[in-house]
Amino acid sequence: MMRLATLPDGTPDGRLHIVSRDNARCAPAEAAHTLQAALEGWDSLRPLLAAEYDTLNEGGGAPFDPATAMAPLPRAWAWLDGSAFDNHGLLMDEAFGVKAEKIPGKPLMYQGISDRFLAPAADVPLPSEGDGIDFEGEFGVLTSAVPMGTTDTLPKIALLVQINDWSLRKLGAAEMKTRFGWIQAKPACAMAPVALTPDELGPAWVGGRIHLPLQVAWNGATFGNPHGGEMSVGFDALVAHAAYSRHLPAGTVIGSGTVSNAAYRSVGSACIAERRAIEMLDHGDAQTPFLSFGDRVRMECRAADGGPLFGAIDQRVIPV
């Protein structure tokens, strides 16, 4: 069991820290200076880092302030985002008016920006309110090295993370029609401050899925509380899909796609586009606007007993 965070030290990759089980204290990791280094030597370094975690939980360390943390993995070799919540896909077909052509047995996945992941409390600079600024709350995994063709991938899932996949919807609708992939519609994502090993979730980690709700708020008002357990395929299948024809380097980030539930009218949504799609179904047109500069979005997943897990992503949208 283990919780890890990265604090700034003046370098792009920051300094890896061990975080206590209550997310209250931290200490610099001794076995690895950065999370990327830890993931590259995961099989040998994990026991050493776990021993440091046990020691920290016995006492000591310094107060952990998640607002000062970088993303746990500030930059990665690859960011591959799936779309593993079928309900979201159905609603987004309605929102965009463009139906994704799905291949039976193969999950949807795209490759996004990986050279930076925004800090959980960092402002998000974007070009224009007219682009349809949206948030997308999701979960993700960080892998150790995955050889091409690996199918038994659960052992390759080193850490779990929480992600806000920022999106520019009005640009996305146009780019989807080209069938050539997203570029302008997908700016940098953000990560919650703490990455944790799957065993930190206990019974909430089942079938390669996080069986917990993701709490999403927009300007302080609850927006949605969808549950992560409704993935149509687990993270193991997403990793195997990505590794079919390529080696995945240690530190590959793979996302679940927007968390979404069939009971969306009672639990709400993890992105604005989904709510707009529901409004189109219910009323004939979308009524909820996209984000404006100055708006704040907060996302957090907590344990079943209310205890902290990943910490919160709490960001404000600003002009470039």
Side-chain angles (χ1 to χ4, degrees), residues 222-239:
T222 298
F223 190 84
N225 196 35
H227 197 275
E230 285 192 27
M231 290 174 73
S232 58
V233 297
F235 277 110
D236 52 338
L238 293 178
V239 175

Side-chain angles (χ1 to χ4, degrees), residues 104-239:
K106 293 185 180 292
L108 294 173
M109 185 174 285
Y110 79 91
Q111 185 157 356
I113 294 173
S114 63
D115 68 340
R116 70 198 61 200
F117 285 89
L118 301 175
D123 286 342
V124 183
L126 293 170
S128 171
E129 292 178 345
D131 291 335
I133 303 169
D134 199 358
F135 49 84
E136 292 192 63
E138 56 184 273
F139 296 111
V141 300
L142 309 183
T143 72
S144 56
V146 185
M148 183 192 304
T150 300
T151 56
D152 181 19
T153 59
L154 274 178
K156 301 297 184 181
I157 295 175
L159 295 163
L160 308 179
V161 293
Q162 180 191 311
I163 295 170
N164 185 354
D165 177 27
W166 288 99
S167 296
L168 303 178
R169 296 297 191 184
K170 294 183 181 179
L171 301 181
E175 288 188 320
M176 284 183 72
K177 292 178 182 178
T178 70
R179 300 183 183 273
F180 215 66
W182 283 309
I183 295 295
Q184 293 182 336
K186 289 293 185 178
C189 302
M191 278 188 196
V194 179
L196 43 87
T197 50
D199 51 10
E200 284 283 329
L201 294 187
W205 176 249
V206 181
R209 297 162 171 85
I210 296 175
H211 288 257
L212 290 167
L214 179 62
Q215 303 164 10
V216 181
W218 177 5
N219 289 335
T222 298
F223 190 84
N225 196 35
H227 197 275
E230 285 192 27
M231 290 174 73
S232 58
V233 297
F235 277 110
D236 52 338
L238 293 178
V239 175

Side-chain angles (χ1 to χ4, degrees), residues 41-113:
W42 191 247
D43 290 343
S44 60
L45 294 180
R46 174 175 177 167
L48 302 177
L49 293 166
E52 294 182 45
Y53 180 64
D54 290 340
T55 299
L56 178 63
N57 282 313
E58 293 172 0
F64 174 59
D65 181 2
T68 65
M70 303 170 72
L73 190 63
R75 55 181 179 170
W77 287 108
W79 157 233
L80 305 171
D81 196 15
S83 181
F85 290 89
D86 285 349
N87 180 71
H88 177 72
L90 292 171
L91 290 171
M92 292 306 291
D93 288 345
E94 181 71 26
F96 280 121
V98 179
K99 186 175 180 61
E101 294 184 8
K102 299 178 182 178
I103 302 172
K106 293 185 180 292
L108 294 173
M109 185 174 285
Y110 79 91
Q111 185 157 356
I113 294 173

Side-chain angles (χ1 to χ4, degrees), residues 134-139 162-166 169 212-228 257-261 266-275 291 296-302 311-315:
D134 199 358
F135 49 84
E136 292 192 63
E138 56 184 273
F139 296 111
Q162 180 191 311
I163 295 170
N164 185 354
D165 177 27
W166 288 99
R169 296 297 191 184
L212 290 167
L214 179 62
Q215 303 164 10
V216 181
W218 177 5
N219 289 335
T222 298
F223 190 84
N225 196 35
H227 197 275
T258 305
V259 181
S260 181
N261 294 168
S266 60
V267 301
S269 300
C271 71
I272 297 172
E274 185 170 298
R275 176 175 286 186
L291 296 175
R296 183 170 290 277
V297 178
R298 190 180 195 278
M299 301 176 177
E300 185 174 17
C301 172
R302 301 188 74 88
I313 298 173
D314 192 345
Q315 295 182 292

